[in-house]
Amino acid sequence: MIDDATPPKKQKSHGRLSVQASLTPRDLMADMRVAGAWRAKVITLFPDAFPGVLGLSLTGKALDLGLWALETVDLRGFGIGKHKNVDDTPAGGGAGMVLRADVVGAALDAAAVGTPGRADWPVIYLSPRGKPFDQAMAHRFAAGQGMTLLCGRFEGVDERVLQHYGVEEVSLGDFVLTGGEIAATALLDATVRLIPRVLGNQTSTEEESFSDGLLEFPQFTKPSRWNGLEIPEILQSGHHGNIANWRQAMAERLTKERRPDLWRAYCARHGRDPVEDQEQ
């Protein structure tokens, strides 16, 4: 049973709302939401970590305009007993603490209110043992109606809750963080920027790294000469066909040199030999 005797702790407000701690998700921009806007719900012990950098620049402007919405679910609000405990010692012994299944389960139930099926609303646990996050995954997430992100802490989450709720595990890389909040922020940034109108010029997402399985070609701007280094002449030629060919060749060369794994996958999709010479 959840002990509600302790008065809720006031939280910082975000955007134009005055927000208080609650057992239901905090909607940071409910009064500004565009009908059908993409939504994110983040289950975390540190709700004040959000929106963080997501509230700045283009993603922040889009949040203010209601092009997407962000809610947080404070995991501590579902804690057990007087001290709102959310974790306990690992079964079988060992160092650290594990987030309790009953606590996390209650938070997932609260976050699920008003959400569609998993095809349009995945539930993600940020975990180093998860499937590696990539651009294709970001596109899949952006194409849905929203998502729920579970930010882990300590030694992780009771395995039973992940199995029971069919939670999808996603990893940002082969390293370990103190918690899932930074990873959740990165995943949301990569996803939200793909939502129509967030970037303004949607064409830019079609030419950046990983858009066709390749790293992005080198970029240049004024001045044309800096520290004795010139912008490649072809980029100043005004010949759009030649420029496009040069950029494609450079993207292929960089991918082959720096990411052989991506290069092999790209060649397999396009029926090309991955050992072919890319020097141009």
Side-chain angles (χ1 to χ4, degrees):
M1 177 180 295
I2 298 175
D3 182 358
D4 293 321
T6 304
K9 176 184 176 182
K10 288 186 177 181
Q11 303 285 351
K12 291 182 180 179
S13 62
H14 298 267
R16 301 182 182 183
L17 294 181
S18 177
V19 182
Q20 300 248 339
S22 169
L23 296 187
T24 58
R26 297 197 287 153
D27 190 339
L28 303 186
M29 295 302 298
D31 59 343
M32 295 290 290
R33 182 179 304 160
V34 172
W38 193 92
R39 298 159 59 201
K41 299 187 180 186
V42 183
I43 300 172
T44 172
L45 281 169
F46 300 96
D48 289 336
F50 297 91
V53 296
L54 295 170
L56 305 175
S57 189
L58 295 175
T59 54
K61 181 179 179 180
L63 187 64
D64 290 340
L65 292 174
L67 299 179
W68 70 289
L70 175 63
E71 304 170 27
T72 57
V73 181
D74 187 348
L75 189 60
R76 184 68 65 182
F78 300 88
I80 306 300
K82 178 180 178 180
H83 299 292
K84 301 290 186 182
N85 293 326
V86 298
D87 58 354
D88 213 319
T89 56
M97 304 291 278
V98 178
L99 291 174
R100 294 174 54 127
D102 50 357
V103 173
V104 176
L108 286 169
D109 287 338
V113 174
T115 64
R118 292 297 178 83
D120 290 318
W121 193 290
V123 177
I124 306 298
Y125 171 48
L126 286 309
S127 165
R129 72 180 191 183
K131 182 178 179 180
F133 181 62
D134 58 18
Q135 193 71 3
M137 198 180 294
H139 276 284
R140 172 165 67 89
F141 294 154
Q145 296 182 37
M147 66 192 312
T148 295
L149 296 169
L150 172 60
C151 299
R153 280 276 153 178
F154 316 121
E155 295 304 309
V157 177
D158 189 306
E159 185 70 21
R160 293 171 296 178
V161 77
L162 301 177
Q163 295 176 356
H164 178 76
Y165 287 91
V167 177
E168 181 179 350
E169 296 186 57
V170 175
S171 171
L172 257 61
D174 297 335
F175 53 88
V176 179
L177 299 170
T178 56
E181 286 75 17
I182 294 175
T185 298
L187 186 150
L188 283 173
D189 183 86
T191 300
V192 168
R193 65 191 300 278
L194 298 175
I195 297 171
R197 296 173 56 197
V198 169
L199 292 187
N201 180 11
Q202 206 63 22
T203 303
S204 63
T205 65
E206 300 171 6
E207 298 180 346
E208 59 195 10
S209 290
F210 313 114
S211 59
D212 188 33
L214 296 173
L215 299 180
E216 188 177 13
F217 50 80
Q219 297 281 10
F220 301 87
T221 188
K222 297 178 180 178
S224 59
R225 182 181 179 82
W226 176 80
N227 277 6
L229 302 173
E230 302 274 359
I231 293 178
E233 183 178 348
I234 193 170
L235 297 181
Q236 304 179 76
S237 68
H239 194 298
H240 298 297
N242 289 344
I243 291 173
N245 291 337
W246 179 88
R247 286 174 168 171
Q248 177 69 17
M250 290 302 298
E252 293 181 2
R253 180 193 299 182
L254 287 172
T255 304
K256 182 178 182 181
E257 292 175 351
R258 301 183 183 183
R259 290 294 301 275
D261 56 327
L262 293 179
W263 175 245
R264 288 191 296 269
Y266 175 82
C267 289
R269 287 196 304 273
H270 294 273
R272 295 174 56 175
D273 182 355
V275 299
E276 67 182 62
D277 185 13
Q278 286 300 303
E279 292 296 328
Q280 296 186 30

